[in-house]
Tab-separated table of all heavy atoms in Angstrom:
chain	number	residue	atom	x	y	z
B	92	MET	N	55.699	-37.209	50.967
B	92	MET	CA	55.756	-36.148	51.977
B	92	MET	C	57.208	-35.827	52.322
B	92	MET	O	57.564	-34.672	52.578
B	92	MET	CB	54.990	-36.581	53.236
B	92	MET	CG	53.506	-36.775	53.005
B	92	MET	SD	52.638	-35.256	52.581
B	92	MET	CE	52.124	-34.678	54.203
B	93	GLN	N	58.049	-36.841	52.357
B	93	GLN	CA	59.451	-36.635	52.693
B	93	GLN	C	60.123	-35.696	51.700
B	93	GLN	O	60.879	-34.799	52.083
B	93	GLN	CB	60.187	-37.984	52.723
B	93	GLN	CG	61.637	-37.875	53.120
B	93	GLN	CD	61.789	-37.289	54.528
B	93	GLN	OE1	61.275	-37.825	55.499
B	93	GLN	NE2	62.485	-36.156	54.641
B	118	GLU	N	45.091	-31.188	48.113
B	118	GLU	CA	43.928	-30.402	47.690
B	118	GLU	C	44.262	-28.921	47.613
B	118	GLU	O	43.862	-28.230	46.688
B	118	GLU	CB	42.758	-30.620	48.653
B	118	GLU	CG	41.931	-31.838	48.339
B	118	GLU	CD	40.722	-31.963	49.252
B	118	GLU	OE1	40.267	-30.935	49.792
B	118	GLU	OE2	40.236	-33.096	49.429
B	147	ASP	N	43.365	-13.446	19.781
B	147	ASP	CA	44.701	-12.877	19.987
B	147	ASP	C	45.086	-12.877	21.460
B	147	ASP	O	46.169	-13.332	21.837
B	147	ASP	CB	44.754	-11.440	19.452
B	147	ASP	CG	44.808	-11.404	17.923
B	147	ASP	OD1	45.287	-12.396	17.340
B	147	ASP	OD2	44.373	-10.400	17.341
B	197	LYS	N	27.604	-15.309	25.622
B	197	LYS	CA	28.253	-14.182	24.970
B	197	LYS	C	28.814	-14.580	23.610
B	197	LYS	O	28.575	-13.903	22.600
B	197	LYS	CB	29.377	-13.654	25.888
B	197	LYS	CG	30.121	-12.460	25.347
B	197	LYS	CD	29.227	-11.230	25.315
B	197	LYS	CE	29.775	-10.149	24.413
B	197	LYS	NZ	28.767	-9.104	24.144
B	198	ILE	N	29.581	-15.670	23.600
B	198	ILE	CA	30.176	-16.126	22.339
B	198	ILE	C	29.090	-16.479	21.324
B	198	ILE	O	29.190	-16.119	20.140
B	198	ILE	CB	31.078	-17.352	22.579
B	198	ILE	CG1	32.110	-17.075	23.676
B	198	ILE	CG2	31.729	-17.798	21.279
B	198	ILE	CD1	33.458	-16.687	23.190
B	211	ILE	N	31.279	-14.529	9.142
B	211	ILE	CA	31.877	-15.649	9.866
B	211	ILE	C	31.317	-16.954	9.314
B	211	ILE	O	30.197	-16.984	8.792
B	211	ILE	CB	31.567	-15.549	11.389
B	211	ILE	CG1	32.505	-16.439	12.200
B	211	ILE	CG2	30.119	-15.921	11.656
B	211	ILE	CD1	32.319	-16.292	13.692
B	247	GLY	N	64.500	-26.094	21.923
B	247	GLY	CA	63.631	-26.316	20.778
B	247	GLY	C	62.159	-26.094	21.059
B	247	GLY	O	61.451	-25.461	20.274
Side-chain angles (χ1 to χ4, degrees):
Chain B
M92 296 295 269
Q93 182 61 58
E118 275 184 24
D147 285 334
K197 181 68 197 167
I198 307 262
I211 197 175

